[in-house]
Amino acid sequence: LRGARAETEAIERVFSANGRISRRLLDADATEPAVFELAATAKYLHFACHGIAEEYAGQSLSMLVLSQPKHVQPDNDGLLQLRDLLHQWRGRLASCRLVVLSACRTNVGPTLSDDAPRALPLGFLFAGAPAVISSLWAVDDESTRVLMSDFYARLLAGETDRLKAFTAAKRSLRSKYPDPRR
């Protein structure tokens, strides 16, 4: 995705400007095993990719589309699904501070009895992440790049409250893009 590449490049520049090291998995390198391995030590885990939110017979089929392998294997089908997070990632994100799902409709899924959607954020929280940022609708590439780079700039500049940093970045974005879906 062109927009995802531009977004991760912008975020990488923010990390570099703040003296932080980042690692990006792009194209064929963004495999399930590579993401699984990197996730174990990541402080921030940012996904800029396609997100799919579907359900069938009350079951969530929420997933992130990663690199598609030449040969599909049980641990590498190119799809990071909610069920993968729930069954294989338990405790994997113990050192992670935040997961950002910068993809379309990542917080959409069948609603549980407590009104919480059975969607990807649930899986990342179950895997040990203390916080997840996700979306309810399709995201626009340009405004998302601006939002995410501003958010990380605020966070890495010393704002310790993730919600405060994200809210400030959203307010700033709204002055440039009044429609939150654009």
Side-chain angles (χ1 to χ4, degrees), residues 167-178:
T167 301
K170 284 193 311 184
R171 284 189 180 131
S172 176
L173 179 73
R174 285 229 171 124
S175 67
K176 186 174 182 178
Y177 299 97

Side-chain angles (χ1 to χ4, degrees), residues 14-122:
V14 170
F15 270 77
S16 181
N18 284 278
R20 304 281 185 93
I21 297 171
S22 63
R23 176 149 179 240
R24 292 188 303 156
L25 297 176
L26 298 171
D27 303 324
D29 293 334
T31 64
E32 278 185 87
V35 169
F36 185 78
E37 181 181 328
L38 184 62
T41 58
K43 297 290 183 217
Y44 300 98
L45 196 55
H46 185 97
F47 291 90
C49 57
H50 283 300
I52 298 173
E54 298 293 334
E55 65 178 278
Y56 178 75
Q59 295 297 312
S60 175
L61 302 175
S62 297
M63 64 188 82
L64 297 172
V65 180
L66 304 175
S67 175
Q68 298 303 293
K70 290 180 182 177
H71 303 288
V72 173
Q73 299 174 359
D75 67 336
N76 187 18
D77 62 3
L79 305 169
L80 181 54
Q81 299 180 49
L82 176 59
R83 70 172 181 230
D84 297 331
L85 296 167
L86 294 174
H87 297 287
Q88 298 156 352
W89 281 56
R90 187 176 193 138
R92 191 84 189 155
L93 301 177
S95 65
C96 187
R97 294 181 185 152
L98 174 68
V99 173
V100 177
L101 305 178
S102 185
C104 297
R105 304 180 68 226
T106 54
N107 199 29
V108 175
T111 304
L112 302 174
S113 60
D114 63 358
D115 292 332
R118 187 167 167 83
L120 288 168
L122 177 69

